[in-house]
Amino acid sequence: MRANGDRTYPNSLHNGTASLSKGHVRPEDRAILRAELLAWYGLNQRDLPWRREASPYAIWVSEIMLQQTRVVVVVERYQVFLKRFPTLVALALSSEEEVLALWSGLGYYRRARMLHKAAQFVVGQLDGRLPGSAAELRKLPGIGAYTAAAIASIAYGEPVAVVDGNVERVLCRLESWEVTKSGEAALRHRIDALAAELLDPRNPGDFNQAIMELGATVCLPKNPQCLTCPWVKHCKTQGEHKTVPRARMVSREVAYALSVRTGRQAGRGSREVLLEKRPAALTVMPGLWELPALRDAEVPEDELRMTVRHAIMQVNYYVRIRTVFEDDAVTMTVVGGERRWVPLHVAADMALTGLARKVLTRAHLLTGTSRDAMTPESGDERT
């Protein structure tokens, strides 16, 4: 036996292929698949900050952030967020605007609003204790089946399988299941059943993280690294499988004004930028601050400050940024909400849209790096 932390795995396993026909796995084959995957994970898992956490709250925050956002983006934002809101109570007692400001750059801001509301509910109704089962976690705002299973298994050791986009891909390839629109519901049921069968009830948290890690780093959507996969001898596909074509990206051209002036505060020479707050009635990014939109999207070449590409959902935005002087701001832009001249050192901590933060950073008006949380290829994939 070979030790890995407080668990042990056999050094050798029989060379037969696990029987996975119709999604039913023999008990002896389940043990082989579990041991092979966990041994691989013990040696190959990425060192991610949330994997060093035992706090259910910290694990919850990481799971919400990882929904539809690339791991490389989450790593930085997760640590900043927990430094500002180290406990569930600290998050609950903060304002929504503070939460959105720390979320800026991650995208999908509804997640931040629901996380904040759920924290307030837990503090107000559950004495500050995050529920310990997937069923109870699902009752909280913003927590669905996937997130509830992830938190319950990783933080509390509940034997419940996690199925995200990575897991779906791994299991479909393992069984050579084709993903088609017509059979989507039936296939989902088979995937869920197989995930539950394969789950290691003794180490559910590690197993769930291991199979997601396998999909994120080895069983990739394109050019899977089959030769390094611990399940290669059991896999009926060993390569890419037939999937439903992704929705095509739509392209749009937009233009915004970058208007900066010398600060008006007495005794201070800091510069201010003109920002506009998106109306609360909007369904996309309500309440966030952005640059004013130009009336004319066609910007003369000699007036162009920069061009930026920005992706939101299935839309690729090609953005033109024009420098606009204070006296021209009203006539050259479309007023869509509350406007404010904001000192740049204050703007850095505001709930800015990802695009606004990217533009201000590239214009060297904000410190730090530009963050662009683009949607991954499907669902809740972690890459």
Side-chain angles (χ1 to χ4, degrees):
M1 305 288 281
R2 178 161 50 85
N4 184 341
D6 60 351
R7 296 175 296 280
T8 55
Y9 307 112
N11 277 324
S12 61
L13 300 163
H14 72 67
N15 292 323
T17 299
S19 174
L20 299 174
S21 60
K22 297 182 181 179
H24 296 295
V25 189
R26 296 178 309 196
E28 60 269 31
D29 293 325
R30 286 200 297 267
I32 292 168
L33 288 163
R34 291 166 181 166
E36 289 176 335
L37 181 63
L38 287 169
W40 170 85
Y41 180 66
L43 295 172
N44 296 281
Q45 63 177 291
R46 289 171 291 179
D47 181 21
L48 300 173
W50 45 88
R51 289 181 178 159
R52 301 191 292 268
E53 290 283 352
S55 160
Y57 164 69
I59 292 169
W60 174 32
V61 170
S62 73
E63 288 302 325
I64 298 297
M65 285 189 171
L66 285 165
Q67 293 172 10
Q68 298 182 307
T69 303
R70 294 172 295 134
V71 167
V72 67
V73 177
V74 173
V75 168
E76 178 192 359
R77 305 310 300 149
Y78 169 80
Q79 295 178 97
V80 172
F81 194 89
L82 281 189
K83 185 175 180 180
R84 173 62 184 83
F85 309 116
T87 65
L88 194 151
V89 173
L91 177 61
L93 294 178
S94 65
S95 68
E96 182 179 279
E97 186 146 352
E98 286 180 284
V99 176
L100 292 176
L102 265 291
W103 203 268
S104 182
L106 281 170
Y108 299 93
Y109 291 91
R110 183 179 180 277
R111 295 178 299 167
R113 290 188 171 92
M114 292 298 101
L115 179 67
H116 187 224
K117 287 181 192 244
Q120 292 177 325
F121 178 84
V122 171
V123 169
Q125 305 297 322
L126 303 177
D127 297 324
R129 296 187 183 91
L130 196 65
S133 71
E136 291 301 313
L137 284 164
R138 288 193 66 176
K139 297 177 182 178
L140 299 180
I143 296 185
Y146 157 76
T147 305
I151 298 169
S153 63
I154 297 169
Y156 298 111
E158 182 181 4
V160 54
V162 166
V163 179
D164 71 346
N166 284 316
V167 174
E168 286 183 10
R169 185 169 58 257
V170 169
L171 297 183
C172 283
R173 286 175 175 168
L174 191 64
E175 274 289 73
S176 193
W177 289 333
E178 293 184 354
V179 182
T180 62
K181 278 290 184 184
S182 59
E184 194 171 356
L187 177 60
R188 179 67 197 218
H189 178 74
R190 294 167 78 186
I191 291 170
D192 289 344
L194 182 56
E197 274 197 82
L198 292 177
L199 179 72
D200 188 339
R202 298 171 304 166
N203 302 300
D206 281 354
F207 184 89
N208 281 332
Q209 291 183 90
I211 194 169
M212 288 189 287
E213 186 83 340
L214 185 65
T217 63
V218 174
C219 195
L220 304 169
K222 300 292 183 183
N223 301 316
Q225 308 301 302
C226 298
L227 293 179
T228 62
C229 178
W231 282 354
V232 63
K233 66 184 178 186
H234 311 292
C235 181
K236 296 179 181 177
T237 304
Q238 298 195 14
E240 296 178 25
H241 65 304
K242 185 176 179 180
T243 59
V244 176
R246 291 181 60 197
R248 295 187 65 179
M249 296 291 286
V250 176
S251 297
R252 292 182 185 169
E253 295 186 1
V254 293
Y256 291 90
L258 181 56
S259 190
V260 180
R261 72 180 188 184
T262 302
R264 297 295 195 266
Q265 292 179 308
R268 300 203 53 177
S270 64
R271 291 185 294 171
E272 298 175 335
V273 61
L274 182 62
L275 296 175
E276 184 171 290
K277 191 173 187 180
R278 293 176 62 81
L282 293 179
T283 56
V284 179
M285 298 182 288
L288 270 64
W289 293 85
E290 63 181 352
L291 300 174
L294 287 168
R295 293 184 183 275
D296 187 357
E298 295 297 325
V299 180
E301 194 67 30
D302 58 344
E303 297 289 339
L304 193 63
R305 176 71 178 267
M306 71 176 77
T307 58
V308 175
R309 180 182 168 190
H310 193 69
I312 301 177
M313 300 293 286
Q314 297 298 322
V315 182
N316 267 327
Y317 290 95
Y318 294 90
V319 187
R320 296 183 183 91
I321 302 298
R322 180 175 187 169
T323 297
V324 174
F325 294 107
E326 179 182 358
D327 293 343
D328 299 323
V330 174
T331 58
M332 294 181 64
T333 61
V334 180
V335 179
E338 174 194 345
R339 285 191 174 181
R340 186 185 303 173
W341 286 95
V342 181
L344 288 171
H345 70 276
V346 174
D349 295 323
M350 289 176 65
L352 303 175
T353 64
L355 175 58
R357 188 173 295 277
K358 179 187 292 187
V359 170
L360 292 173
T361 301
R362 291 189 181 181
H364 305 291
L365 296 173
L366 293 184
T367 57
T369 57
S370 175
R371 309 180 189 102
D372 183 13
M374 292 180 66
T375 310
E377 294 201 9
S378 68
D380 294 320
E381 289 185 24
R382 304 164 176 213
T383 55

